[in-house]
Amino acid sequence: MADTGWPGCVRSLKGVILDLCGVLYDSGECDGVAIPGSIEAVKRLKESDLQLRFCTNETQATRKNFVAKLQRLGFDISVSEVFPPAPAAIAVLKERGLRPHLLVHDGLLSEFDAVDKTNPNCVIVGDAAENFSYQNLNEAFRVLIGLERPVLFSLGQGRYYKETDGLKLDVGVYMKALEYACDLKAEVIGKPSPTFFQSVLNDMGLKPNEALMIGDDLVNDVGGAQYCGMKGVQVRTGKYRPSDERHPTVIADATVDNLAQAVEAILSQRTLRTLQLQC
Amino acid sequence: MADTGWPGCVRSLKGVILDLCGVLYDSGECDGVAIPGSIEAVKRLKESDLQLRFCTNETQATRKNFVAKLQRLGFDISVSEVFPPAPAAIAVLKERGLRPHLLVHDGLLSEFDAVDKTNPNCVIVGDAAENFSYQNLNEAFRVLIGLERPVLFSLGQGRYYKETDGLKLDVGVYMKALEYACDLKAEVIGKPSPTFFQSVLNDMGLKPNEALMIGDDLVNDVGGAQYCGMKGVQVRTGKYRPSDERHPTVIADATVDNLAQAVEAILSQRTLRTLQLQC
């Protein structure tokens, strides 16, 4: 934690953004399991003078159901604090007058209940998991190839994630499949899209240099936040791999064992600042 | 057919290589349907002094079963004349001491009966169609990500093909998916691999400039053959699209309505040459 920029930025920090899966909990059967120390770490952040938001590429459930799961796991978290890609996608559809064909998880479908899906003129792909069948992928492909100006939105671009029973392919893999099939480039909604990070900063009313992102995904969490001008900290939980610390282009401002350690470092530095200011 | 190179090359031609699906027949329910005039066109080529081979990226059936289907459709064709990717892949496995995990169509599995598949150290992906489930793709991914030096072979790299009930995603799409998931580059076995075309030329004992390839796929058939020094002719059947004739980089030596028209042009030019030689 002697990395350049880490203590310095902490002292002027006004907000913290946390990734969820792999930072607060590991997904898997039922609700998954909380990562040791993370429930208390979230509580400590909430009791501090820092603003707190949660920024996730989770697309297997509606925001409401997803937050309910985190509450069952013991986290003090509310719907308005959580930023997943689906509500951002719905805003984009509205703005551009688009009607989507959805290739998403069954658990996410009701998020799009109020969206006009007749005669689709774009495709949205999310982490559809078991819904990534040959038939469903063919169907999404046929919608795209039949459009004069095909538009593909991808809710994130992750390669894979870890569940309790092993690694699973993520939405980015299927985004690449459809990109190749239709010879087009998808528009990513979710991390690491700068627009997505900016929407969280706007909600907090903060500038990028006043916020810090903590995640387990070096490229999408840490690299994405740094690209926007925030500091990015990686935790050694979730999908973290030791090779991340030798990545050729993305270097975290700090790498810590887990969220509890990150929060301890942040809060102790800030206490020090307060003491200095009081002197 | 006034394209440069077409009549000239025909007069010195010693062999013709035909793609199968989209040139001889359209695939679909049961055996599919022969393209009008193609049965007679193959017969005419066989009766000529030209050597004839069939070069296909078909991987939904063993070579034996696939040839039997073509015979049922009425084509005069034998197993030794047909070059699909699977036997070429088996030769590569043997040469490099590799044991594959197979993500292929059920119909192709028995082609690999004699291949050691225990403790796999590479993955082979073919046109697995319905077998491209989320579960099967995850399994192939986990084999690759677990290898110190992951090796992925793709039997072709097609984007999609046309069946009687519509367009279907081809193996290249799933190759791209696994490439992205594992951050690697697949080795393509099949068209447009130069090694694959060369194996067909070797079997005929011909140099590239003595052979001509006829296919419906501009990039993989025509472009692939031209890259090897052969002439490449595209037919306006199968997956042909009018936009192929405006392709930025691949320009066919000739574009003809169908195989019958191509064969008529080749044979009439050769008759002309014979008459000229006799004068």
Side-chain angles (χ1 to χ4, degrees):
Chain A
M1 278 192 294
D3 302 63
T4 319
W6 169 243
C9 89
V10 163
R11 287 175 197 156
S12 57
L13 211 59
K14 294 186 179 168
V16 171
I17 305 174
L18 300 184
D19 176 35
L20 289 168
C21 184
V23 178
L24 266 59
Y25 74 105
D26 280 320
S27 64
E29 287 293 307
C30 300
D31 289 341
V33 287
I35 291 170
S38 61
I39 295 172
E40 177 65 19
V42 169
K43 197 163 166 262
R44 289 186 69 191
L45 280 175
K46 285 216 154 180
E47 288 165 359
S48 77
D49 60 341
L50 290 164
Q51 291 205 57
L52 179 63
R53 296 293 184 279
F54 303 90
C55 185
T56 175
N57 275 2
E58 167 66 43
T59 59
Q60 287 204 357
T62 61
R63 175 156 56 170
K64 195 179 145 201
N65 288 342
F66 177 55
V67 169
K69 177 178 89 168
L70 291 164
Q71 289 168 344
R72 282 195 299 274
L73 285 171
F75 291 99
D76 174 10
I77 189 167
S78 64
V79 167
S80 63
E81 295 164 330
V82 177
F83 290 76
I90 291 169
V92 171
L93 294 172
K94 203 172 168 184
E95 193 184 307
R96 289 163 59 178
L98 292 169
R99 301 175 305 276
H101 169 89
L102 300 173
L103 176 50
V104 300
H105 198 279
D106 285 346
L108 190 68
L109 279 173
S110 63
E111 193 87 85
F112 292 87
D113 271 353
V115 172
D116 180 8
K117 294 177 283 290
T118 55
N119 189 21
N121 53 9
C122 70
V123 167
I124 293 183
V125 59
D127 174 15
E130 299 298 335
N131 279 348
F132 280 132
S133 64
Y134 183 61
Q135 198 183 330
N136 287 349
L137 217 66
N138 271 330
E139 210 178 319
F141 159 68
R142 285 187 204 129
V143 170
L144 284 171
I145 206 83
L147 294 172
E148 201 179 336
R149 288 194 205 110
V151 178
L152 172 63
F153 294 107
S154 185
L155 305 182
Q157 61 174 20
R159 293 168 193 268
Y160 55 87
Y161 52 87
K162 194 183 163 190
E163 291 209 329
T164 44
D165 62 342
L167 297 176
K168 303 276 172 84
L169 290 170
D170 199 0
V171 61
V173 170
Y174 291 89
M175 170 192 85
K176 285 288 168 188
L178 288 171
E179 282 188 345
Y180 180 72
C182 306
D183 197 17
L184 55 74
K185 187 94 185 116
E187 298 180 36
V188 176
I189 298 178
K191 296 176 288 186
S193 156
T195 321
F196 191 61
F197 280 118
Q198 192 55 54
S199 70
V200 186
L201 289 170
N202 291 349
D203 189 66
M204 294 196 282
L206 297 184
K207 292 176 197 148
N209 63 5
E210 296 171 327
L212 180 146
M213 170 84 207
I214 303 176
D216 64 331
D217 186 319
L218 185 71
V219 172
N220 293 299
D221 293 331
V222 174
Q226 287 175 335
Y227 184 82
C228 294
M230 291 184 260
K231 296 288 178 189
V233 171
Q234 189 180 20
V235 286
R236 293 193 186 94
T237 52
K239 72 171 73 167
Y240 162 85
R241 298 182 122 208
S243 60
D244 289 345
E245 296 189 51
R246 302 184 298 274
H247 195 278
T249 53
V250 183
I251 301 161
D253 290 288
T255 308
V256 293
D257 285 346
N258 49 45
L259 180 64
Q261 197 179 76
V263 170
E264 171 59 29
I266 292 167
L267 298 183
S268 62
Q269 285 292 333
R270 293 179 68 80
T271 309
L272 191 65
R273 182 195 64 164
T274 312
L275 289 173
Q276 285 169 340
L277 289 174
Q278 285 172 344
C279 290
Chain B
M1 280 191 292
D3 303 63
T4 320
W6 169 243
C9 90
V10 163
R11 290 178 195 151
S12 57
L13 211 61
K14 292 184 179 169
V16 171
I17 305 174
L18 300 184
D19 175 35
L20 290 168
C21 184
V23 177
L24 265 59
Y25 75 105
D26 281 321
S27 65
E29 287 293 307
C30 300
D31 289 340
V33 288
I35 291 170
S38 61
I39 295 172
E40 177 65 18
V42 169
K43 197 163 167 262
R44 289 185 72 192
L45 280 175
K46 284 218 154 180
E47 288 165 358
S48 77
D49 60 340
L50 290 164
Q51 290 203 61
L52 181 61
R53 296 292 186 278
F54 303 90
C55 185
T56 174
N57 276 2
E58 166 67 43
T59 58
Q60 288 205 356
T62 62
R63 176 156 57 169
K64 196 179 145 199
N65 288 342
F66 178 53
V67 169
K69 178 179 87 169
L70 291 165
Q71 289 168 343
R72 282 196 299 275
L73 286 172
F75 291 99
D76 176 10
I77 191 166
S78 64
V79 167
S80 63
E81 295 165 329
V82 177
F83 290 75
I90 291 170
V92 171
L93 295 172
K94 204 173 168 183
E95 193 184 306
R96 290 164 57 178
L98 292 169
R99 300 175 306 276
H101 170 89
L102 300 172
L103 176 50
V104 299
H105 198 278
D106 285 345
L108 191 68
L109 280 174
S110 63
E111 194 85 88
F112 291 86
D113 271 351
V115 172
D116 180 9
K117 295 176 284 288
T118 55
N119 190 19
N121 53 8
C122 70
V123 167
I124 294 183
V125 59
D127 173 17
E130 300 298 335
N131 280 348
F132 280 131
S133 64
Y134 183 61
Q135 196 183 332
N136 286 348
L137 218 66
N138 271 330
E139 210 178 320
F141 158 68
R142 285 187 203 130
V143 170
L144 284 171
I145 207 84
L147 294 172
E148 201 180 334
R149 288 194 205 110
V151 177
L152 172 63
F153 294 107
S154 185
L155 305 182
Q157 61 174 20
R159 293 169 193 267
Y160 55 87
Y161 53 88
K162 192 183 162 189
E163 291 208 329
T164 45
D165 63 341
L167 296 177
K168 304 275 171 84
L169 291 170
D170 200 359
V171 60
V173 170
Y174 291 89
M175 171 192 85
K176 285 287 167 188
L178 288 171
E179 282 187 347
Y180 179 72
C182 306
D183 197 16
L184 54 75
K185 184 92 187 123
E187 299 180 36
V188 176
I189 298 179
K191 298 176 287 185
S193 154
T195 321
F196 191 61
F197 280 117
Q198 193 56 54
S199 70
V200 186
L201 289 170
N202 291 349
D203 189 66
M204 295 196 282
L206 297 185
K207 294 175 196 147
N209 62 6
E210 296 170 328
L212 180 146
M213 171 83 205
I214 302 175
D216 65 330
D217 187 319
L218 185 72
V219 172
N220 293 300
D221 293 331
V222 174
Q226 288 174 334
Y227 184 82
C228 294
M230 290 185 261
K231 295 290 178 189
V233 171
Q234 189 181 21
V235 286
R236 293 192 186 94
T237 52
K239 74 172 72 168
Y240 162 86
R241 297 181 123 209
S243 59
D244 289 344
E245 297 188 51
R246 302 183 299 273
H247 195 277
T249 53
V250 182
I251 301 163
D253 291 288
T255 308
V256 293
D257 285 346
N258 49 45
L259 180 64
Q261 196 180 77
V263 170
E264 172 59 28
I266 292 167
L267 297 183
S268 62
Q269 285 292 333
R270 293 180 67 81
T271 309
L272 192 65
R273 181 195 66 163
T274 312
L275 288 172
Q276 283 168 341
L277 289 175
Q278 284 171 346
C279 290

